[in-house]
Each structure stands twice: as structure tokens, then as C-alpha cells.
Amino acid sequence: MKLFYIARPEDETMVLDENESKHLVRVLRLKQGDTIEAVDGEGGWYRGVIADAHVKHCRIGELRLLRREDPIPYHLHLAVAPTKQMDRMEWMLEKATELGVSEITPLLCMHSERKTIKPERLEKILVSAMKQSLRAYKPRLNPLREFRDFLMEPRGGQKWIAHCFPGKRSDISSIPGSASYTFLIGPEGDFSEDELKQAMASCYKPLLLGESRLRTETAAIYVCASMRFRHALG
């Protein structure tokens, strides 16, 4: 059954947004009386019946909660510099969502080649990836943040910065388990030395992601997959 995305409903009726409505009516050719399933991005999984197959605001009735999905047992926050080519950033968000990332903050760094993003477009990527992977949780996408400002925000749990500078770094396979992780992933030109010093002064620990030099999006996926296996989710 095709899965749709809805905001958490307050009663037994809900209206799909224009994107979901158009896909339901024009692509899937569903009609009034057909049954659909939907997730709310907060763990809820629902079933309902199409009451009005409108191409811009399809109304779903007889909604009932089928189950509430358990969240993964850790909070994974990726703070990552957007890539120069936006399609690589979108691919990263898609795969990170499939692997269970909880929160994403785009970072504006000294060596960043992309200084703007389109949040609406990226939200669509997250919704699509959530549905494709049959998950009921949508990652939180934060606004673009200056690197220094991000470091100043209070943050608990383990905090790591992946970088390519020489020196002692902990391999990601050796970091201890935790209920919360924040990982800083830099742009194509890596973090600056000053940014690395700022992060370490803010209690971020240096992290090694293997011996190869990875692209920004590859490093982010490496982190997501490593944490998933670290917690034996497979």
C-alpha cells in the first residue's frame, strides 16, 4: 500500500497538502472510497479512507491510529556543511533519513562553497525518504547556522568533529555508546584550523572516519551507518 505524509491529526479527518494530494490523484489515480495509510513524522501510523479526491487538498476521513512506532534508541544530530552541488546534499539527506538520523543542521563554515539552501525542497526530500523507507519519524531540519553560533548552543551527549588534520583522533568504531550524539561534518575544503580549535574548546572531540579522505556527503552517511551498527540495528 502506498504511504502518505500527514501532520498529526486532531480528529478523524485530515487534508493532505498539495504535493501529496497531486500524487494521490494524478499519479496513483486513487479515488473516493479508496483506503490509504499515512505517517505523521512523529511516530504515528494511520489508516483512512479518501473522502474527497481533490487534486490540491485531498480530504481523508475515518482516520484511525494503527500503531505508534518506537523511536531508535539514540538521538543522532548531524551538523554538516551543504555541498556545492545540491544534488549531492539531497542524496545525503535521503540516505541519512533511511539510516535513522534524528536532526540535521546545515552549517556555514569558513570554506563553505554553498552559502544558501532551499529548506522547502530539502523538507520534500526528507518526507520522501521517510515514506520510502517505511519509517514514521521525519528528521528535524534546522535553519542554516553559522559554525561559531552552532558551537555556542548548549548541547548534551557526545560531541565529535570529523576532520583531516594530522594529530590524534578517535576512530568512530571505538567511540562509546550514548543516548545522544552530535557530529560536525565540514565542507569539501574541510574545517579551518581556527574552526577546529573553536570546536575542541567547546568540548568536541576529534574524530577519524577511516584512512581515506571522504567527500562531505560520504562522511555523513558513514557516521549514520556506523551509529546504526553501533547500536545493533543492522
Side-chain angles (χ1 to χ4, degrees):
M1 181 175 290
K2 181 66 179 178
L3 193 61
F4 294 88
Y5 172 61
I6 58 174
R8 178 181 285 192
E10 297 181 357
D11 51 37
E12 295 183 354
T13 301
M14 189 67 197
V15 177
L16 300 182
D17 66 22
E18 184 172 347
N19 288 323
E20 294 288 83
S21 296
K22 186 179 297 183
H23 187 68
L24 182 149
V25 175
R26 290 189 173 170
V27 178
L28 299 178
R29 305 289 185 181
L30 298 180
K31 58 187 183 301
Q32 183 176 338
D34 287 340
T35 299
I36 69 163
E37 290 189 2
V39 290
D40 62 10
E42 300 178 20
W45 198 292
Y46 302 83
R47 180 173 292 159
V49 176
I50 300 173
D52 181 10
H54 193 285
V55 72
K56 289 189 176 182
H57 39 81
C58 181
R59 184 164 55 87
I60 309 299
E62 301 178 42
L63 269 177
R64 62 186 181 92
L65 179 66
L66 296 178
R67 62 183 181 275
R68 190 155 293 282
E69 186 177 291
D70 292 331
I72 60 175
Y74 58 91
H75 184 91
L76 174 56
H77 188 170
L78 283 182
V80 55
T83 56
K84 182 179 180 180
Q85 301 298 325
M86 205 58 203
D87 61 335
R88 286 164 50 193
M89 178 73 175
E90 293 175 359
W91 178 86
M92 182 203 74
L93 293 181
E94 178 184 273
K95 302 311 172 189
T97 300
E98 293 174 8
L99 289 168
V101 69
S102 311
E103 186 173 358
I104 301 159
T105 300
L107 284 182
L108 187 58
C109 303
M110 183 176 294
H111 297 152
S112 291
E113 295 188 80
R114 173 171 289 279
K115 302 183 185 299
T116 61
I117 60 172
K118 296 180 179 179
E120 298 83 3
R121 168 65 182 169
L122 299 184
E123 283 287 355
K124 290 179 182 178
I125 298 293
L126 297 179
V127 168
S128 177
M130 173 186 64
K131 295 189 300 179
Q132 189 278 331
S133 56
L134 300 180
R135 298 188 65 229
Y137 286 93
K138 182 175 71 68
R140 176 181 176 181
L141 177 65
N142 297 320
L144 184 68
R145 298 284 287 159
E146 292 274 358
F147 181 82
R148 185 188 299 270
D149 293 340
F150 183 84
L151 294 183
M152 293 176 64
E153 297 172 358
R155 209 170 305 282
Q158 294 193 37
K159 302 190 296 184
W160 298 90
I161 178 169
H163 65 85
C164 298
F165 292 100
K168 185 177 180 181
R169 291 169 286 170
S170 298
D171 190 277
I172 193 168
S173 63
S174 68
I175 68 176
S178 175
S180 178
Y181 306 89
T182 300
F183 290 93
L184 305 180
I185 308 292
E188 281 89 337
D190 203 359
F191 294 110
S192 68
E193 290 190 49
D194 186 53
E195 286 171 334
L196 177 57
K197 291 177 182 178
Q198 291 175 39
M200 294 180 69
S202 298
C203 299
Y204 283 83
K205 300 176 182 179
L207 181 69
L208 176 67
L209 299 179
E211 298 302 325
S212 301
R213 184 172 62 183
L214 305 179
R215 290 182 179 272
T216 296
E217 68 273 22
T218 310
I221 299 307
Y222 191 108
V223 165
C224 292
S226 296
M227 291 301 96
R228 192 170 182 86
F229 281 105
R230 173 67 181 78
H231 287 265
L233 295 180

